Amino acid sequence: MRKPAAAKPARKVKGKTTAKPAEPAMDVAVGRRIRDLRRVRQFSLETVAARTDLSIGFLSQIERGLSSPSLRVLATLADVLGVGIAALFGASPSADGASDQVVTRGLQRPELKLWRTGVSKQLLSPASTDNRLNLFLVHLEPGGSTGDELYTHDGEEAGLVLEGELMLTVDSETWSLKTGDSFRFASRRPHRFSNPANDAKAVVLWVNCVTGAG
């Protein structure tokens, strides 16, 4: 696996700093969640770096909210930490860690914005590190993508395109899915997805089943 490069410093032009506006609160919350899970499992940064093939410096930047990780990186970290990607959302589960909550209100959905890549995920199922089955509402901005590189993680996934178009690649095959189309595949198969439209958002109801977490 190729190591993602750490975020480059902002470029200065005529004494002014120019950079894409950041969403530090989201990055800090996700980074804190990753750090807490790592510490609970008593993993050092060196251990996680060795198991993910990510650099220690990059992992440290993620945990401090200085880098916005891609979905591929988050999926890799979730595997190593033994959780589903829903556990990496900034929102914490209930204080006692219980996973018996039944309802998630529309105004209380935890959201993970991968703002650099144009992908955001709302968690529709109750948040818990114990959950093996999670339901998401995935929004892809025009041109939004998980990146050019295929990635894998534990479990199975399925989805239904609610709005727009989704380009889905699994192994060496790519499909164009329109509103009403659906899919399912084992998450260990290399995959990626994107919104090919230049002027329309895509919305997908997405299910992830994590077979190895817990």
Side-chain angles (χ1 to χ4, degrees):
M1 181 186 298
R2 185 172 57 196
K3 297 182 180 180
K8 294 181 180 180
R11 181 168 49 91
K12 291 185 177 181
V13 179
K14 294 183 179 180
K16 295 182 179 180
T17 299
T18 59
K20 184 177 180 178
E23 295 190 10
M26 177 65 66
D27 291 342
V28 169
V30 173
R32 184 180 297 119
R33 191 82 184 106
I34 292 171
R35 181 197 62 199
D36 291 346
L37 286 167
R38 176 178 64 79
R39 289 178 175 176
V40 165
R41 284 150 180 74
Q42 298 183 331
F43 290 165
S44 66
L45 279 172
E46 290 80 3
T47 297
V48 176
R51 295 184 182 184
T52 60
D53 200 25
L54 302 172
S55 72
I56 294 174
F58 182 55
L59 290 172
S60 177
Q61 284 192 331
I62 291 174
E63 290 193 357
R64 290 181 290 153
L66 301 179
S67 285
S68 182
S70 66
L71 187 57
R72 180 179 64 85
V73 168
L74 288 179
T76 301
L77 287 170
D79 269 6
V80 169
L81 295 171
V83 296
I85 197 169
L88 304 186
F89 278 46
S92 297
S94 55
D96 60 1
S99 59
D100 58 354
Q101 181 182 342
V102 175
V103 174
T104 298
R105 300 294 182 184
L107 296 178
Q108 298 175 336
R109 297 172 183 169
E111 185 172 20
L112 179 64
K113 289 185 177 180
L114 305 170
W115 55 277
R116 292 185 185 274
T117 59
V119 179
S120 67
K121 303 182 73 168
Q122 290 182 338
L123 180 61
L124 305 184
S125 48
S128 171
T129 55
D130 298 328
N131 286 355
R132 294 175 181 265
L133 181 66
N134 289 288
L135 181 64
F136 301 94
L137 195 62
V138 178
H139 295 256
L140 291 98
E141 297 298 325
S145 169
T146 56
D148 295 333
E149 190 171 349
L150 300 174
Y151 68 101
T152 65
H153 53 95
D154 179 61
E156 280 188 274
E157 50 200 287
L160 169 66
V161 180
L162 300 178
E163 296 179 26
E165 181 181 2
L166 179 75
M167 295 297 293
L168 174 67
T169 298
V170 180
D171 295 324
S172 60
E173 191 168 358
T174 299
W175 297 266
S176 172
L177 287 81
K178 303 295 179 64
T179 301
D181 293 338
S182 54
F183 58 88
R184 187 209 67 83
F185 60 92
S187 304
R188 285 298 179 192
R189 298 174 66 183
H191 59 279
R192 64 179 295 273
F193 59 88
S194 64
N195 175 10
N198 295 319
D199 56 359
K201 184 167 68 172
V203 181
V204 185
L205 185 65
W206 210 295
V207 180
N208 281 99
C209 180
V210 185
T211 56

